[in-house]
Amino acid sequence: DGGITQSPKYLFRKEGQNVTLSCEQNLNHDAMYWYRQDPGQGLRLIYYSQIVNDFQKGDIAEGYSVSREKKESFPLTVTSAQKNPTAFYLCASSGGGLAGAQETQYFGPGTRLLVL
Amino acid sequence: AQSVTQPDIHITVSEGASLELRCNYSYGATPYLFWYVQSPGQGLQLLLKYFSGDTLVQGIKGFEAEFKRSQSSFNLRKPSVHWSDAAEYFCAVGNQAGTALIFGKGTTLSVSS
């Protein structure tokens, strides 16, 4: 089955700790995205990557970092600089030559990050 | 700046009744428009999308949406709601740079029996 997997489903972070959220896709998509979802706020874009070894900041990139070393993987690190990390994090991917606006984004099941 | 507005935060509809969820966008050119649905604690699933052509778009699960350029709207409709339709619904528009989607804040649908 083709799709997007995110792990873990729940993640707990201690004060001052960096944590990494995993996102893997086997859809052979070029573009991948990370969104943060807070109640009543909709989805806000953290980072996106249109191709391997390239990524761009979204609207709320501060306190987060990403890498895109492989086409199928786009991990997100929540650093200690992110002072309010409690949220639901969604990874998405889209295929084709042009990312984003014209391509349908497919979403993973999400990771809920909680602060201890 | 581009934006998407979903005016209704929460809507309750009786099972079997019709549904309309509102979405307004701000965008200068022809927009790429999407509706997604999210069940609690889950990812988002695409219901339908509009890129061009016929302004009435059919989607999955019996949903449809109509693009009205004059009103900058892309409202989602369903003629008869089922209890399983209870979820959160998001409208989104492709951004001007062609790199990502801009989402509305969502409308939570409750279905009463």
Side-chain angles (χ1 to χ4, degrees), chain B residues 37 45-48 58-64:
Chain B
V37 62
Q45 180 183 22
L46 179 72
L47 286 175
L48 46 79
Q58 301 297 320
I60 62 171
K61 304 184 180 186
F63 285 93
E64 66 178 25

Side-chain angles (χ1 to χ4, degrees), chain B:
Chain B
Q2 285 181 272
S3 66
V4 176
T5 301
Q6 294 181 245
D8 303 304
I9 297 173
H10 190 190
I11 283 182
T12 299
V13 174
S14 299
E15 189 168 17
S18 64
L19 169 71
E20 182 168 25
L21 301 182
R22 297 183 290 165
C23 173
N24 294 98
Y25 64 89
S26 66
Y27 188 68
T30 301
Y32 298 94
L33 294 160
F34 304 80
W35 273 101
Y36 284 87
V37 62
Q38 183 183 35
S39 297
Q42 302 296 316
L44 276 67
Q45 180 183 22
L46 179 72
L47 286 175
L48 46 79
K49 60 187 178 185
Y50 172 78
F51 288 173
S52 64
D54 192 346
T55 56
L56 185 62
V57 180
Q58 301 297 320
I60 62 171
K61 304 184 180 186
F63 285 93
E64 66 178 25
E66 186 171 13
F67 170 59
K68 292 185 177 180
R69 183 188 299 277
S70 62
Q71 298 177 20
S72 297
S73 69
F74 189 55
N75 294 349
L76 182 71
R77 302 193 295 244
K78 187 170 184 178
S80 177
V81 167
H82 187 261
W83 65 267
S84 60
D85 293 324
E88 191 160 18
Y89 291 80
F90 292 94
C91 181
V93 64
N95 70 358
Q96 204 155 352
T99 53
L101 295 180
I102 298 169
F103 284 84
K105 293 187 177 182
T107 297
T108 299
L109 173 66
S110 297
V111 180
S112 61
S113 57

Side-chain angles (χ1 to χ4, degrees), chain A residues 11-29:
Chain A
L11 186 57
F12 298 90
R13 193 190 91 164
K14 295 179 182 177
E15 194 82 28
Q17 187 181 38
N18 292 356
V19 292
T20 298
L21 285 63
S22 169
C23 177
E24 303 275 333
Q25 56 98 358
N26 61 3
L27 300 168
N28 200 33
H29 285 168

